[in-house]
């Protein structure tokens, strides 16, 4: 068990600063990814996409005029018979022009999307990678308090939101505004100011209603996202604990928990769809009212002056308004989708806004190992101020020596290993390696020089070779096999179908505890660090496996500065020095035989473990004898 029990859990980190996110701020934040300074090819794509977009808008504006001209040509009833051929040719030609313009509009629009696709997806990849890297830079406290399922859901929605914001903002927002201005100018020029006033009023009413209705929908959307994350978290947590669920026959209980979360998501999703229907209905009513008013005005003008306005103008104004419906729908969609995307991406921005609890100090130098002497100097540490974990701990692990730390659960043993790796910083005192305060060196170089074999080994869902090579990625196959041999797992690997290419399963669940520990030892051997930390590496193993693992650990430790954090005292009897930690204070220190002679805390722990081992051995023998007698009776 680690020291981080419920009563001593890390205190919650400061809440992230809540920033008021807007479309403008979001676009500014995303702009370096859309216009990357180091990618001329992407800049050319952006420029080309904008050019195609503007051409597409001009062609789109010309489509209603071609329709008007074709209509006027067809309805010209006073054309003399001698000009019949010319009249037919004009109508046919204008109709063909109408079709060509509509085709060009589609081609330019799709060409724009195809050209910009590489830009948007590059932005998605770069920002998602930045967030992924940032998550690895955050401190252990953050990851202990995050729920994996909810975090993966945030990243998934964030990636989708990035693409939506980039594409909608860059390829829809600006061109739609340009199209509004062009249509208003055409209506003002071809007709009069009244048409422009009606259209502007309709646009204002449309956008106002869209804004109000969308803001109403956002609260539903936010609650729906929360319920989605909650359901996903429960599902992943239950599946990761599959065996525990089976042990306690809790399938129905887990299904009930998941169903409750999904029922809330179902209810909120229905509300989201209903609110979308209300939004679409209102938008349709407002646009239809504006369209009807404009067409009635045009009919009145045609009747008042048939020479100034023709049937073609009626068709033109109808086409222009229908043409206007598309950018209006885009604006409604733009606001709605971008608002939703900003909600989805705001948590991702919050993640980027989280500052690591442990950061390299300005001017931090790389760690320089000369001998490998590790020293704790009056170290004080607590996860929570109300419960100190280490209280003035001082000790030294000389270069090439092995020092063991033992003590009851919760004494602060595993905290020592976390402080060595700078997952946390001590509140007082300092930790040095060859005289260098590790708080003043680069974290990466520190962790490069320290190897860890943890109590609970978790493997990547990949091959055995991948997990061993994780210790040193540039290692050759021969070096991987040599490390496996030193860790005494090579014989097992040769017997497994697939050998080094065999999959270990999720978190290494296809391997036994001893096999996982050997893989952890092999990758630490491959890393070859001058300083080694063994954090209760055999506490969860049976006696036979423990002895085999201990032999492998002794090989690894040979010639290295080694700190052993042990629960079972039998694994540290050969240590150069044993430190007995109790309630955050070193109460005894010395070699195994010396500590037994003192008859203190260590001796009491040793005797207690021997009694437990002897009781277990007696029980095992009794069970074996009982099994033999039953076997004899059955044969008789």
């Amino acid at each position: 068990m680690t020291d981080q029990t419920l009563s001593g859990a890390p205190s919650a980190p400061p809440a992230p600063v809540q920033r008021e996110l807007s479309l403008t701020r979001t676009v500014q934040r995303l702009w370096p990814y859309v216009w990357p300074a180091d990618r001329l090819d992407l800049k050319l794509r952006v420029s080309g996409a904008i050019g195609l977009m503007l051409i597409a808008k001009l062609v789109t504006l010309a489509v209603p005029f071609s329709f008007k001209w074709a209509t006027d040509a067809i309805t010209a009833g006073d054309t003399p018979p001698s000009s019949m051929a010319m009249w037919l040719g004009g109508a046919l030609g204008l109709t063909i022009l109408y079709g060509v313009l509509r085709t060009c509009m589609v081609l330019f629009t799709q060409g724009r999307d195809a050209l910009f696709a590489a830009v948007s997806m590059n932005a998605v990849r770069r920002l998602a990678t930045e967030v992924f890297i940032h998550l690895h830079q955050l401190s252990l406290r953050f990851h202990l308090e995050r729920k994996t399922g909810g975090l993966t859901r945030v990243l998934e929605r964030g990636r989708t939101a990035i693409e939506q914001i980039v594409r909608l903002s860059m390829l829809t927002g600006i061109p739609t505004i340009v199209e509004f201005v062009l249509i208003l100018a055409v209506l003002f020029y071809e007709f009069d100011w009244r048409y422009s006033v009606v259209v502007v009023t309709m646009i204002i009413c449309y956008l106002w209603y869209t804004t109000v209705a969308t803001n109403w929908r956002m609260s539903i959307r936010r609650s729906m996202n929360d319920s989605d994350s909650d359901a996903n978290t429960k599902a992943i947590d239950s599946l990761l604990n599959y065996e525990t669920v089976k042990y306690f026959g809790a399938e129905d209980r887990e299904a009930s928990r998941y169903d409750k979360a999904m029922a809330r998501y179902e209810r909120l999703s229905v509300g989201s769809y209903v609110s979308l229907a209300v939004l679409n209905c209102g938008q349709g009513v407002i646009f239809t009212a504006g369209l009807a008013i404009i067409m009635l005005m045009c009919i009145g003008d045609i009747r008042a002056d048939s020479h100034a306005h023709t049937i073609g103008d009626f068709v033109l104004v109808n086409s222009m308004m229908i043409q206007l419906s598309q950018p209006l729908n885009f604006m409604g969609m733009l606001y709605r989708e971008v608002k939703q995307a900003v909600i989805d991406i705001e948590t991702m921005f919050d993640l980027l806004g989280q500052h690591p609890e442990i950061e390299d100090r300005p001017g931090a130098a790389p760690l320089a190992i000369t001998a490998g002497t590790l020293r704790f100097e009056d170290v004080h540490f607590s996860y929570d101020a109300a419960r100190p974990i280490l209280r003035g701990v001082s000790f030294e692990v000389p270069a090439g020596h092995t020092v063991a730390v033992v003590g009851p659960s919760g004494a602060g043993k595993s905290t020592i290993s976390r402080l060595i790796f700078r997952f946390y910083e001590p509140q007082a005192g300092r930790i040095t390696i060859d005289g260098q305060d590790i708080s003043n060196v680069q974290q990466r170089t520190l962790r490069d020089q320290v190897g860890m074999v943890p109590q609970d080994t978790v493997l990547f869902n990949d091959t055995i070779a991948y997990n061993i090579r994780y210790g040193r990625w540039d290692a050759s196959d021969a070096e991987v096999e040599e490390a496996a041999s030193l860790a005494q797992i090579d014989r097992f690997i040769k017997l497994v179908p697939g050998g080094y290419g065999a999959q270990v399963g999720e978190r290494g669940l296809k391997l036994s505890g001893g096999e996982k520990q050997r893989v952890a030892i092999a990758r630490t051997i491959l890393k070859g660090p001058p300083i080694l930390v063994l954090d209760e590496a055999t506490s969860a193993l049976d006696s036979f496996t423990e002895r085999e693992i201990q032999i492998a650990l002794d090989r690894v430790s040979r010639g290295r500065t080694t700190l052993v954090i042990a629960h079972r005292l039998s694994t540290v009897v050969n240590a150069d020095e044993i430190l007995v930690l109790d309630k955050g204070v070193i109460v005894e220190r010395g070699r195994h035989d010396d500590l037994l002679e003192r008859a203190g805390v260590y001796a009491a722990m040793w005797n207690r473990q021997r009694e437990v081992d002897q009781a277990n051995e007696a029980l095992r023998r009794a069970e074996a004898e009982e099994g033999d007698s039953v076997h004899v009776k059955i044969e008789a």
Side-chain angles (χ1 to χ4, degrees):
M1 177 181 287
T2 63
D3 311 309
Q4 203 166 297
T5 58
L6 289 175
S7 59
S11 57
V17 178
Q18 295 296 325
R19 56 173 73 86
E20 184 65 28
L21 291 177
S22 64
L23 175 60
T24 302
R25 183 184 183 94
T26 304
V27 171
Q28 290 175 346
R29 179 67 178 84
L30 292 175
W31 180 248
Y33 301 94
V34 177
W35 191 263
D38 58 340
R39 292 290 300 273
L40 178 61
D41 60 322
L42 294 180
K43 292 181 180 180
L44 292 176
R45 282 181 173 270
V46 173
S47 302
I50 293 175
L52 288 176
M53 171 192 67
L54 294 175
I55 295 173
K57 290 305 174 185
L58 293 175
V59 172
T60 301
L61 193 64
V63 169
F65 279 95
S66 65
F67 197 19
K68 163 188 161 56
W69 296 330
T71 302
D72 284 339
I74 294 173
T75 58
D78 57 347
T79 304
S82 59
S83 61
M84 184 65 68
M86 183 181 299
W87 172 75
L88 289 174
L92 290 174
L94 290 170
T95 303
I96 292 172
L97 175 63
Y98 173 78
V100 170
L101 288 175
R102 290 193 65 87
T103 302
C104 291
M105 178 179 68
V106 173
L107 291 176
F108 285 128
T109 301
Q110 295 304 316
R112 173 203 68 183
D113 292 347
L115 196 60
F116 195 76
V119 179
S120 61
M121 296 315 299
N122 177 74
V124 170
R125 178 181 65 83
R126 293 185 66 167
L127 185 53
T129 302
E130 181 179 324
V131 173
F132 182 79
I133 293 172
H134 185 73
L135 286 174
H136 276 286
Q137 291 173 343
L138 292 178
S139 305
L140 178 63
R141 191 190 303 271
F142 170 86
H143 289 281
L144 290 176
E145 295 179 354
R146 294 294 297 190
K147 294 182 178 180
T148 304
L151 187 59
T152 56
R153 206 63 168 173
V154 166
L155 295 177
E156 179 184 340
R157 286 200 299 261
R159 288 195 299 268
T160 303
I162 295 166
E163 183 180 2
Q164 287 180 334
I165 290 176
V166 170
R167 294 183 65 84
L168 293 176
S169 300
M170 303 303 170
L171 296 184
T172 304
I174 295 176
T176 299
I177 295 174
V178 171
E179 190 167 353
F180 280 166
V181 173
L182 291 175
I183 289 176
L184 290 174
V186 168
L187 289 175
F188 182 82
Y189 178 78
E190 288 290 325
F191 299 93
D192 57 49
W193 61 271
R194 295 174 301 143
Y195 290 80
S196 297
V197 169
V198 172
V199 172
V200 169
T201 303
M202 185 267 293
I203 291 174
I204 291 175
C205 292
Y206 188 99
L207 295 180
W208 173 81
Y209 176 81
T210 300
T211 302
V212 172
T214 302
N215 288 335
W216 165 55
R217 293 191 69 237
M218 286 306 97
S219 60
I220 301 175
R221 172 77 177 193
R222 185 177 284 108
S223 299
M224 188 178 73
N225 284 349
D226 291 341
S227 64
D228 181 35
S229 296
D230 180 56
N232 193 62
T233 298
K234 282 182 169 59
I236 291 180
D237 192 38
S238 181
L239 293 174
L240 287 177
N241 290 279
Y242 170 84
E243 292 180 76
T244 303
V245 173
K246 290 294 184 182
Y247 292 151
F248 294 93
E251 293 91 343
D252 292 341
R253 188 192 319 158
E254 291 298 317
S256 176
R257 289 176 70 237
Y258 183 68
D259 184 62
K260 286 180 181 178
M262 287 303 299
R264 181 169 180 264
Y265 177 73
E266 176 190 16
R267 175 171 53 81
L268 292 170
S269 297
V270 171
S272 178
Y273 282 115
V274 170
S275 64
L276 178 60
V278 172
L279 173 62
N280 291 336
C281 286
Q283 289 175 334
V285 169
I286 293 172
F287 176 78
T288 303
L291 174 63
I293 293 172
I294 287 290
M295 294 180 69
L296 289 173
M297 289 170 58
C298 186
I299 291 173
D301 289 340
I302 293 173
R303 289 180 175 177
D305 187 355
S306 60
H307 295 288
H309 296 285
T310 64
I311 299 299
D313 290 318
F314 181 79
V315 172
L316 174 63
V317 77
N318 178 269
S319 298
M320 293 291 284
M321 289 299 293
I322 297 299
Q323 198 79 33
L324 185 62
S325 69
Q326 295 181 0
L328 272 177
N329 284 334
F330 277 133
M331 289 303 287
M333 182 192 68
L334 178 66
Y335 182 78
R336 182 171 64 249
E337 295 299 326
V338 168
K339 269 293 245 185
Q340 292 177 357
V342 169
I343 287 175
D344 291 338
I345 205 173
E346 66 184 3
T347 307
M348 182 175 282
F349 281 137
D350 285 339
L351 290 178
L352 286 172
Q354 289 266 9
H355 294 291
E357 185 179 348
I358 309 299
E359 293 185 286
D360 287 342
R361 297 179 181 177
L367 176 65
I369 296 289
T370 54
T373 300
L374 172 67
R375 179 177 298 159
F376 273 57
E377 299 177 3
D378 193 27
V379 172
H380 293 255
F381 177 77
S382 64
Y383 298 109
D384 189 326
R387 182 177 180 267
I389 301 297
L390 300 180
R391 298 182 292 175
V393 171
S394 298
F395 65 86
E396 178 180 305
V397 186
H401 287 64
T402 297
V403 172
V405 180
V406 301
S409 297
K413 303 187 299 297
S414 292
T415 297
I416 289 176
S417 67
R418 289 174 172 170
L419 291 174
I420 292 173
F421 276 88
R422 282 194 72 195
F423 291 151
Y424 300 98
E425 297 274 32
Q427 279 85 36
R430 68 176 194 153
I431 304 169
T432 66
I433 295 177
D434 287 338
Q436 303 162 84
D437 190 336
I438 65 172
S439 63
N440 295 326
V441 303
Q442 297 171 2
Q443 295 179 68
R444 180 179 293 276
T445 61
L446 167 66
R447 292 162 189 161
D448 284 343
Q449 302 295 335
V450 181
M452 164 70 85
V453 179
Q455 173 184 3
D456 183 18
T457 300
V458 178
L459 303 181
F460 290 93
N461 190 3
D462 210 297
T463 65
I464 295 176
Y466 177 91
N467 280 280
I468 296 177
R469 187 175 274 111
Y470 208 81
R472 181 160 52 86
W473 194 244
D474 58 351
S476 65
D477 291 342
E479 290 174 318
V480 170
E481 292 174 6
E482 181 182 1
S485 176
L486 291 173
Q488 298 183 0
I489 195 177
D490 56 325
R491 287 177 295 174
F492 163 77
I493 295 175
K494 292 175 182 177
L495 296 175
V496 173
Y500 285 90
Q503 296 286 328
V504 302
E506 186 79 25
R507 301 169 69 238
L509 292 179
K510 289 185 178 181
L511 304 183
S512 68
E515 290 156 0
K516 287 197 295 184
Q517 286 297 95
R518 288 187 180 96
V519 171
I521 294 170
R523 67 185 178 193
T524 302
I525 292 174
L526 193 62
K527 181 179 181 180
I531 299 174
L532 186 63
V533 178
L534 308 177
D535 188 357
E536 304 197 56
T538 63
S539 62
L541 305 177
D542 60 83
S543 299
F544 178 76
T545 306
E546 179 188 53
R547 283 192 292 271
E548 288 195 332
I549 296 293
Q550 192 59 48
I551 293 172
L553 290 175
D554 290 340
R555 289 185 181 183
V556 179
S557 304
R558 199 168 299 153
R560 289 188 170 92
T561 303
T562 305
L563 179 68
V564 180
I565 297 169
H567 177 71
R568 291 186 56 80
L569 304 186
S570 58
T571 63
V572 299
V573 294
N574 296 322
D576 297 308
E577 184 179 27
I578 299 172
L579 310 177
V580 183
L581 193 66
D582 190 17
K583 297 179 181 179
V585 178
I586 297 177
V587 294
E588 292 179 358
R589 63 175 72 203
R591 294 184 64 84
H592 172 72
D593 294 336
D594 298 333
L595 291 174
L596 289 181
E597 290 178 2
R598 294 181 191 176
V601 176
Y602 181 85
M605 293 172 59
W606 176 264
N607 293 330
R608 191 179 307 118
Q609 283 196 6
R610 288 193 62 186
E611 291 173 0
V612 171
D613 290 343
Q614 289 171 357
N616 289 335
E617 182 65 25
L619 179 62
R620 188 164 52 251
R621 288 178 180 176
E623 290 175 346
E625 291 174 359
E626 182 179 353
D628 291 341
S629 63
V630 170
H631 182 66
V632 171
K633 289 178 183 178
I634 291 175
E635 287 186 337

